[in-house]
Amino acid sequence: MENQLGILRIRVIRGINLAIRDLRSSDPYVVVRMGKQKLKTRVVKKSVNPEWNEDLTLCVAEPILPIKLQVYDKDTFSRDDKMGDAELDIVPFIDAVRMTRFKNIPNGVIISRIIPSRKNCYSEESCIVYENGKVGQNAFVRLRNVECGEIELRLQWIDIPGSKNL
């Protein structure tokens, strides 16, 4: 843990208008990667608008590694079908965490805004906010390499006591 900067909690909230990969629906799940870490949500059966509401936690040692999301359709007798992917640059989030260090910031202050563009996967503006002593961000990300679909996420930073500082 001495090489860790902190923990990034990612709440995978839901999928919106995901692609159909089975006869009339899909059985989606999300794989989250950062560096060598790999986590995944449970499979939601027969839904193109799944609700996961699952917290996944990643240890952050290198704050420049992106978060990579991949959505798959679970298949029983063949390889799981790809349903799109997205990538999130966490540097703006880490910068916001650094800004809050040793400062008396009022609850609810927007530290930073991320505007959707062709260079990122955000589908709408995303604010990094200081709430209840923690830095958090709600995000809607547009899936790439697929005909349709978005994923709603919530990021939250958790300090590790005794870890090296940001």
Side-chain angles (χ1 to χ4, degrees):
M1 284 298 211
E2 65 274 352
N3 292 335
Q4 303 303 318
L5 299 172
I7 293 174
L8 183 62
R9 177 183 291 147
I10 302 170
R11 172 162 277 211
V12 181
I13 299 171
R14 65 189 175 126
I16 303 158
N17 193 29
L18 299 180
I20 294 172
R21 290 292 182 259
D22 293 333
L23 200 54
R24 290 191 186 103
S25 191
S26 293
D27 303 316
Y29 65 95
V30 179
V31 175
V32 177
R33 289 190 168 122
M34 187 164 73
K36 294 180 181 178
Q37 298 173 81
K38 177 183 172 184
L39 303 166
K40 71 180 190 176
T41 65
R42 72 185 189 289
V43 174
V44 175
K45 297 279 188 191
K46 295 183 168 76
S47 180
V48 292
N49 294 297
E51 302 250 346
W52 288 285
N53 288 311
E54 285 189 42
D55 287 331
L56 306 175
T57 54
L58 297 166
C59 292
V60 179
E62 297 178 57
I64 57 166
L65 293 175
I67 297 168
K68 296 181 180 185
L69 304 170
Q70 293 175 300
V71 182
Y72 293 95
D73 169 51
K74 181 72 176 162
D75 286 329
T76 306
F77 301 110
S78 62
R79 178 177 274 168
D80 293 352
D81 300 315
K82 291 181 180 180
M83 295 177 64
D85 62 84
E87 192 170 296
L88 292 175
D89 178 11
I90 64 165
V91 171
F93 187 82
I94 298 297
D95 288 346
V97 171
R98 285 185 176 125
M99 278 189 239
T100 63
R101 294 286 186 246
F102 314 112
K103 294 181 182 171
N104 189 15
I105 297 177
N107 201 38
V109 166
I110 295 173
I111 302 164
S112 181
R113 294 178 195 271
I114 300 171
I115 307 298
S117 73
R118 290 177 188 229
K119 294 179 182 179
N120 65 39
C121 289
Y122 292 94
S123 59
E124 59 185 58
E125 181 179 88
S126 179
C127 295
I128 302 172
V129 179
Y130 188 77
E131 288 182 306
N132 303 321
K134 297 188 185 296
V135 176
Q137 176 183 1
N138 289 332
F140 287 88
V141 293
R142 183 178 51 259
L143 296 173
R144 305 177 297 191
N145 304 311
V146 69
E147 57 272 21
C148 59
E150 293 181 22
I151 300 290
E152 182 181 1
L153 304 169
R154 167 114 180 111
L155 307 179
Q156 187 177 49
W157 183 258
I158 300 169
D159 285 316
I160 301 173
S163 67
K164 64 183 189 179
N165 289 330
L166 279 174

